[in-house]
CSV table of all heavy atoms in Angstrom, one decimal:
chain,number,residue,atom,x,y,z
A,171,ARG,N,6.2,-20.2,4.8
A,171,ARG,CA,6.2,-18.7,4.9
A,171,ARG,C,6.7,-18.3,6.3
A,171,ARG,O,7.5,-17.3,6.3
A,171,ARG,CB,4.9,-18.1,4.5
A,171,ARG,CG,4.7,-16.7,4.7
A,171,ARG,CD,3.6,-16.2,3.9
A,171,ARG,NE,4.2,-15.4,2.8
A,171,ARG,CZ,3.5,-14.9,1.7
A,171,ARG,NH1,2.1,-14.9,1.7
A,171,ARG,NH2,4.1,-14.3,0.7
A,172,ILE,N,6.3,-18.9,7.3
A,172,ILE,CA,6.7,-18.6,8.6
A,172,ILE,C,8.3,-18.9,8.8
A,172,ILE,O,9.0,-18.1,9.4
A,172,ILE,CB,6.0,-19.3,9.7
A,172,ILE,CG1,4.5,-18.8,9.7
A,172,ILE,CG2,6.5,-19.2,11.1
A,172,ILE,CD1,3.5,-19.7,10.5
A,173,SER,N,8.7,-20.0,8.2
A,173,SER,CA,10.1,-20.4,8.3
A,173,SER,C,10.9,-19.3,7.5
A,173,SER,O,12.0,-18.9,8.0
A,173,SER,CB,10.3,-21.8,7.7
A,173,SER,OG,11.7,-22.0,7.6
A,174,ALA,N,10.5,-19.0,6.3
A,174,ALA,CA,11.3,-17.9,5.6
A,174,ALA,C,11.3,-16.6,6.3
A,174,ALA,O,12.4,-16.0,6.3
A,174,ALA,CB,10.6,-17.8,4.2
A,175,GLY,N,10.2,-16.3,6.9
A,175,GLY,CA,10.2,-15.0,7.7
A,175,GLY,C,11.2,-15.1,8.9
A,175,GLY,O,11.7,-14.0,9.3
A,176,ALA,N,11.2,-16.3,9.5
A,176,ALA,CA,12.2,-16.5,10.6
A,176,ALA,C,13.7,-16.1,10.2
A,176,ALA,O,14.3,-15.4,10.9
A,176,ALA,CB,12.1,-17.9,11.2
A,177,GLY,N,14.0,-16.7,9.1
A,177,GLY,CA,15.3,-16.3,8.5
A,177,GLY,C,15.6,-14.9,8.3
A,177,GLY,O,16.7,-14.3,8.6
A,178,GLN,N,14.6,-14.2,7.7
A,178,GLN,CA,14.7,-12.7,7.5
A,178,GLN,C,14.8,-12.1,8.8
A,178,GLN,O,15.5,-11.0,8.9
A,178,GLN,CB,13.5,-12.3,6.6
A,178,GLN,CG,13.4,-12.8,5.2
A,178,GLN,CD,14.4,-12.0,4.3
A,178,GLN,OE1,15.6,-12.1,4.5
A,178,GLN,NE2,13.8,-11.5,3.3
A,179,TYR,N,13.9,-12.4,9.7
A,179,TYR,CA,13.9,-11.7,11.0
A,179,TYR,C,15.2,-11.8,11.7
A,179,TYR,O,15.7,-10.8,12.3
A,179,TYR,CB,12.7,-12.3,11.9
A,179,TYR,CG,12.5,-11.6,13.2
A,179,TYR,CD1,11.7,-10.5,13.3
A,179,TYR,CD2,13.4,-12.1,14.4
A,179,TYR,CE1,11.6,-9.9,14.6
A,179,TYR,CE2,13.2,-11.4,15.6
A,179,TYR,CZ,12.4,-10.4,15.6
A,179,TYR,OH,12.3,-9.7,16.9
A,180,ALA,N,15.8,-13.0,11.7
A,180,ALA,CA,17.1,-13.2,12.4
A,180,ALA,C,18.2,-12.3,11.8
A,180,ALA,O,19.0,-11.8,12.6
A,180,ALA,CB,17.4,-14.7,12.3
A,181,GLU,N,18.1,-12.1,10.5
A,181,GLU,CA,19.1,-11.3,9.8
A,181,GLU,C,18.8,-9.7,10.0
A,181,GLU,O,19.7,-9.0,10.2
A,181,GLU,CB,19.2,-11.7,8.4
A,181,GLU,CG,20.2,-10.9,7.6
A,181,GLU,CD,21.6,-11.3,7.7
A,181,GLU,OE1,21.7,-12.4,8.3
A,181,GLU,OE2,22.5,-10.4,7.6
A,182,MET,N,17.6,-9.4,9.8
A,182,MET,CA,17.2,-8.0,9.6
A,182,MET,C,16.8,-7.4,10.9
A,182,MET,O,16.9,-6.1,11.1
A,182,MET,CB,16.1,-7.8,8.6
A,182,MET,CG,16.5,-8.3,7.2
A,182,MET,SD,15.0,-8.7,6.2
A,182,MET,CE,13.9,-7.4,6.7
A,183,CYS,N,16.1,-8.1,11.9
A,183,CYS,CA,15.3,-7.5,12.9
A,183,CYS,C,15.9,-7.8,14.3
A,183,CYS,O,15.6,-7.0,15.3
A,183,CYS,CB,13.9,-7.9,12.8
A,183,CYS,SG,13.2,-7.8,11.2
A,184,SER,N,16.5,-9.0,14.5
A,184,SER,CA,16.7,-9.4,15.9
A,184,SER,C,17.7,-8.6,16.6
A,184,SER,O,17.6,-8.5,17.9
A,184,SER,CB,17.2,-10.9,15.9
A,184,SER,OG,18.4,-11.1,15.1
A,185,GLY,N,18.6,-7.9,16.0
A,185,GLY,CA,19.6,-7.0,16.6
A,185,GLY,C,18.9,-5.9,17.3
A,185,GLY,O,19.5,-5.5,18.3
A,186,CYS,N,17.8,-5.4,16.9
A,186,CYS,CA,17.1,-4.4,17.6
A,186,CYS,C,15.9,-4.8,18.5
A,186,CYS,O,15.6,-4.5,19.5
A,186,CYS,CB,16.6,-3.3,16.6
A,186,CYS,SG,18.0,-2.4,15.7
Side-chain angles (χ1 to χ4, degrees):
R171 173 154 256 179
I172 294 170
S173 175
Q178 294 281 61
Y179 182 89
E181 179 72 23
M182 297 156 43
C183 314
S184 62
C186 294

